[in-house]
Amino acid sequence: MASDRDPLVKPGKITALKQQVRNSARTSVFIDGEFAFGVHADLAVREGLYIGQQLRESDLQTLLCSEKILRGRSAALRYLSYAPRTEHQVRQRLTRKGLTKDELNDIIADLYELGYIDDRRYAVEYAEARFKNKGYGPGRIRRELTEDGVSSDYVSEAVAAAASTDMYSMSARKIAEKFRDRVEGTLPERKKKLADYLIRRGYGYTLSKEIALEVLSQR
């Protein structure tokens, strides 16, 4: 991630601290009469920056590291404001920000502490929504949660919490009955098409074949 600091600027004395015109939440730091870098105003206050302060290389590195973490945290919060996310999704998003592993871990730990990331809750809510709103079976729900980076334990717990085995079977049957009149061909062909449709929606191979035959036999 690129910082506001000019790589040619060397440590020295702070000669000015100015509120940025385009972003009043940021402060421009001038060293020895030249713009050096910009930081969030809260960080400038927290670190006690003042005109006349002598900044060493270690001071600059500490400030810029803190600035990167602050920016990364802000980016994560914006990302999370649109929809719940898993730790894996947030990590992927923040990887583009040029954060080190330690910086990224610090941000993730803070987000867990604040309750903005909770993979277990995410998995349960996701599974319930996919089953109730989309009629997806356990296989598809499991696959999607795994792709989102949820641990296998949380995935299994969420799939079980979303619906019982009987409820999944009932859902598969309703879907098959609704889709039945859209499949054409001979009985074996229709059975295969209907079973494949259920499988794509996340229902097991054996269950899908049984329900497909049962539903087609009703007519």
Side-chain angles (χ1 to χ4, degrees):
M1 168 182 163
S3 73
D4 289 341
R5 180 189 175 191
D6 187 326
L8 299 179
V9 174
K10 297 180 180 180
K13 183 187 295 184
I14 296 179
T15 52
L17 295 169
K18 297 181 180 180
Q19 183 182 69
Q20 293 185 358
V21 175
R22 294 185 178 181
N23 188 346
S24 60
R26 294 186 62 75
T27 297
S28 293
V29 180
F30 291 76
I31 295 178
D32 296 334
E34 299 289 339
F35 171 77
F37 56 91
V39 295
H40 196 282
D42 289 346
L43 179 59
V45 173
R46 189 181 76 193
E47 296 298 327
L49 299 184
Y50 61 91
I51 295 174
Q53 181 180 2
Q54 191 71 30
L55 292 180
R56 298 166 297 179
E57 181 63 32
S58 59
D59 298 324
L60 290 175
Q61 293 303 320
T62 298
L63 280 169
L64 294 176
C65 178
S66 297
E67 171 66 10
K68 282 177 65 180
I69 292 175
L70 190 60
R71 283 191 177 189
R73 186 183 292 109
S74 295
L77 290 174
R78 286 195 300 273
Y79 183 51
L80 288 163
S81 69
Y82 297 111
R85 314 285 184 179
T86 64
E87 176 185 336
H88 174 72
Q89 290 171 323
V90 175
R91 282 185 179 277
Q92 281 192 318
R93 185 79 170 193
L94 294 186
T95 297
R96 310 170 191 171
K97 302 296 181 180
L99 295 158
T100 65
K101 183 177 180 180
D102 287 342
E103 290 166 349
L104 183 53
N105 287 340
D106 285 344
I107 293 172
I108 294 296
D110 286 345
L111 294 173
Y112 267 113
E113 184 70 22
L114 293 169
Y116 287 112
I117 294 179
D118 186 330
D119 280 7
R120 185 176 188 177
R121 182 180 64 205
Y122 174 96
V124 170
E125 293 177 352
Y126 186 97
E128 289 179 350
R130 283 313 214 197
F131 174 69
K132 293 179 181 179
N133 300 332
K134 297 288 187 178
Y136 286 169
R140 181 155 180 172
I141 294 172
R142 184 181 296 278
R143 182 173 66 254
E144 291 183 354
L145 284 174
T146 299
E147 290 173 352
D148 286 344
V150 179
S151 70
S152 59
D153 288 343
Y154 287 165
V155 170
S156 297
E157 181 180 340
V159 168
S164 65
T165 301
D166 289 343
M167 291 172 67
Y168 280 123
S169 296
M170 290 174 59
S171 176
R173 186 170 288 102
K174 288 181 180 179
I175 292 171
E177 291 172 348
K178 185 176 181 179
F179 188 70
R180 173 179 52 199
D181 295 335
R182 295 168 57 184
V183 293
E184 301 177 347
T186 63
L187 179 59
E189 290 172 341
R190 296 178 69 206
K191 176 185 174 183
K192 183 179 186 307
K193 290 178 182 178
L194 190 53
D196 287 346
Y197 180 70
L198 291 175
I199 291 170
R200 288 196 299 273
R201 294 186 68 87
Y203 295 95
Y205 177 78
T206 301
L207 176 65
S208 296
K209 288 183 63 178
E210 291 176 351
I211 289 180
L213 178 61
E214 176 185 330
V215 169
L216 291 173
S217 299
Q218 292 174 356
R219 302 187 58 163

